[in-house]
Amino acid sequence: MAENLAASRVLVLNSGSSSVKYQLLDMSDASRLAAGLVERIGEQTSRLKHTCLTTGETREHTGPIADHDAALKAVAVELGRDGLGLDSPELAAIGHRVVHGGMFFTEPTVIDDEVIAEIERLIPVAPLHNPANLTGIRTARALRPDLPQVAVFDTAFHTTMPESAARYAIDPKIADRHRIRRYGFHGTSHAYVSREAARLLGKDPSEVNVIVLHLGNGASASAVEKGRCVDTSMGLTPLEGLVMGTRSGDLDPAVIFHLTRVGGMSMDEIDTLLNKRSGLFGLCGDNDMREIRRRIDEGDEEAALAFDIYIHRLRKYIGAYYAVLGSVDAVAFTAGVGENAAPVREAAIAGLEGLGLAVDPELNGVRADGARLISPKDARVAVAVVPTDEELEIATQTYALVGKNN
């Protein structure tokens, strides 16, 4: 690994079941060199979109890409065309997003056979995500067996939760046998945004309490006390918590028994219902907040009710996490909806003035790229919009670990 001591580039891979998202960053100045997406892997209509961020050139290819091995080789070709190939001596490491690390992985980890085996053992609690993450890891290791590969886990940031927050109220022996507990997800985003919110306030993360609201198609909230997560809304899986694009969020577990006994639905059908056909989509047929707001403006009552249900759940979590933390310095909105949907931010904070929370309508309506405050200057609690950057967080953690090992 001696040749990597002077290397400063990190390739970040996010491997899905039929896709690979990637970014190449130079950690000497945290600049982005290239980014892209390979989608519909395994189909005749596969698509690779690659952008060289140093030149601004974008290239797009369509046609069959058989598997992740072929996808990463295609990515390597595109990077090579820009002089940024996987064989470059300036490449220090590859960082992989891994969704579920259980309680075994509490920090970024250099990947070896033992790590792969443990990620495999966690497949039953992450059947949609961990197999795809493993495919990307194995392919990348085969392409560059000499290069450090690092797993950065979505769940790691939440492993600081106390047992009182992480445990479900079921028989501990059964829970432990089947690894049932609240793990939480979007951890890289919550870690990054909570730190950036502290920076926006001119303080160290260890000095502030932050409620982070990661609102995308998947959505989660976290209570971050002095830089450590003490509660989060997602649980054993990403299904628990807030109303999401297609997921129900919190639900009486007896609904499942009822749908089985009375509705005659199978477990697979219920799984599909709650994960893919619920949330905003299930309520009004749309999971795009822009379209929902357009329909509301046209007087659509179904869309208006879906929005109200979404906001009601969100406000409940803000209040709950305020109680968990005791005092709050900032509420930070992030991800696609959180960063771009001013009506969501306004509605979520409305009526919480008694908690010291308020939104300045003019500041809230401004579209901007960077982190910013949208609360009045005299507000007791800051309300912020903080664009998330999970790729930078993964690259930062990967590079720090490779440097530490060197």
Side-chain angles (χ1 to χ4, degrees):
M1 289 168 57
E3 68 176 9
N4 291 323
L5 284 169
S8 59
R9 294 175 183 171
V10 173
L11 177 64
V12 175
L13 295 178
N14 182 352
S15 300
S17 58
S18 61
S19 67
V20 175
K21 296 178 185 177
Y22 63 94
Q23 282 195 19
L24 180 67
L25 298 93
D26 189 331
M27 299 312 296
S28 65
D29 57 4
S31 62
R32 286 166 173 77
L33 305 176
L37 168 67
V38 187
E39 56 186 346
R40 299 192 292 273
I41 295 172
E43 300 180 19
Q44 293 297 308
T45 57
S46 304
R47 172 174 171 265
L48 189 161
K49 184 176 182 180
H50 171 88
T51 300
C52 177
L53 297 170
T54 58
T55 64
E57 180 186 359
T58 295
R59 299 186 291 272
E60 193 168 326
H61 307 281
T62 57
I65 297 177
D67 51 29
H68 283 70
D69 180 68
L72 280 183
K73 286 177 179 175
V75 169
V77 168
E78 292 304 315
L79 289 169
R81 289 178 64 183
D82 300 322
L84 305 169
L86 291 186
D87 57 351
S88 169
E90 295 182 67
L91 187 61
I94 298 177
H96 297 265
R97 180 199 181 204
V98 179
V99 168
H100 215 310
M103 291 303 293
F104 190 85
F105 299 108
T106 61
E107 57 187 15
T109 305
V110 174
I111 296 168
D112 57 21
D113 292 342
E114 183 182 349
V115 169
I116 288 176
E118 183 61 26
I119 295 172
E120 283 183 323
R121 282 192 284 271
L122 287 162
I123 285 175
V125 290
L128 299 178
H129 299 97
N130 276 28
N133 301 155
L134 282 167
T135 299
I137 288 170
R138 290 190 172 108
T139 301
R141 289 183 86 201
L143 289 175
R144 280 298 307 268
D146 59 312
L147 197 67
Q149 313 252 345
V150 175
V152 178
F153 299 91
D154 270 16
T155 50
F157 182 64
H158 304 303
T159 58
T160 56
M161 282 192 294
E163 288 294 277
S164 57
R167 286 278 186 178
Y168 291 109
I170 64 174
D171 185 330
K173 294 185 179 64
I174 293 175
D176 290 344
R177 186 183 313 141
H178 299 291
R179 302 189 184 204
I180 297 172
R181 62 184 289 119
R182 300 182 61 250
Y183 294 102
F185 299 88
H186 296 144
T188 51
S189 177
H190 286 279
Y192 177 83
V193 171
S194 60
R195 286 201 313 273
E196 286 298 295
R199 185 193 60 77
L200 192 61
L201 298 180
K203 297 182 178 181
D204 189 90
S206 64
E207 299 174 334
V208 299
N209 292 347
V210 184
I211 296 172
V212 179
L213 304 171
H214 178 108
L215 308 179
N217 192 50
S220 60
S222 68
V224 183
E225 182 178 50
K226 295 176 172 52
R228 292 165 57 86
C229 177
V230 294
D231 207 346
T232 192
S233 58
M234 287 180 167
L236 174 72
T237 76
L239 181 59
E240 187 180 358
L242 302 174
V243 175
M244 305 177 221
T246 64
R247 299 183 191 124
S248 66
D250 291 340
L251 191 77
D252 180 349
V255 169
I256 296 171
F257 311 149
H258 185 80
L259 290 174
T260 301
R261 295 166 181 161
V262 178
M265 295 178 68
S266 68
M267 283 295 108
D268 286 344
E269 288 173 328
I270 295 171
D271 190 323
T272 298
L273 171 69
L274 298 183
N275 277 294
K276 298 180 180 179
R277 303 196 61 80
S278 293
L280 292 169
F281 179 80
L283 288 167
C284 70
D286 271 310
N287 61 326
D288 187 320
M289 187 59 71
R290 293 164 298 187
E291 181 63 17
I292 290 170
R293 289 303 309 178
R294 184 194 65 77
R295 288 171 56 184
I296 291 172
D297 291 341
E298 293 178 354
D300 189 314
E301 294 183 3
E302 191 178 60
L305 178 59
F307 182 82
D308 289 346
I309 292 170
Y310 179 94
I311 294 297
H312 179 75
R313 184 81 54 83
L314 185 54
R315 293 175 77 244
K316 280 176 66 175
Y317 268 92
I318 294 172
Y321 286 172
Y322 205 117
V324 167
L325 292 168
S327 66
V328 176
D329 297 286
V331 174
F333 289 87
T334 193
V337 174
E339 294 170 29
N340 298 296
V344 169
R345 300 191 296 262
E346 180 181 6
I349 299 300
L352 300 180
E353 291 83 4
L355 299 178
L357 289 161
V359 165
D360 181 301
E362 186 175 339
L363 293 175
N364 188 41
V366 173
R367 298 286 297 240
D369 293 332
R372 63 196 187 277
L373 294 176
I374 59 171
S375 48
K377 289 183 179 179
D378 59 350
R380 195 165 79 243
V381 179
V383 180
V385 178
V386 181
T388 192
D389 198 332
E390 295 176 89
E391 289 78 15
L392 177 58
E393 181 71 14
I394 291 170
T396 299
Q397 294 189 27
T398 296
Y399 191 62
L401 181 60
V402 169
K404 185 192 303 181
N405 282 358
N406 281 340

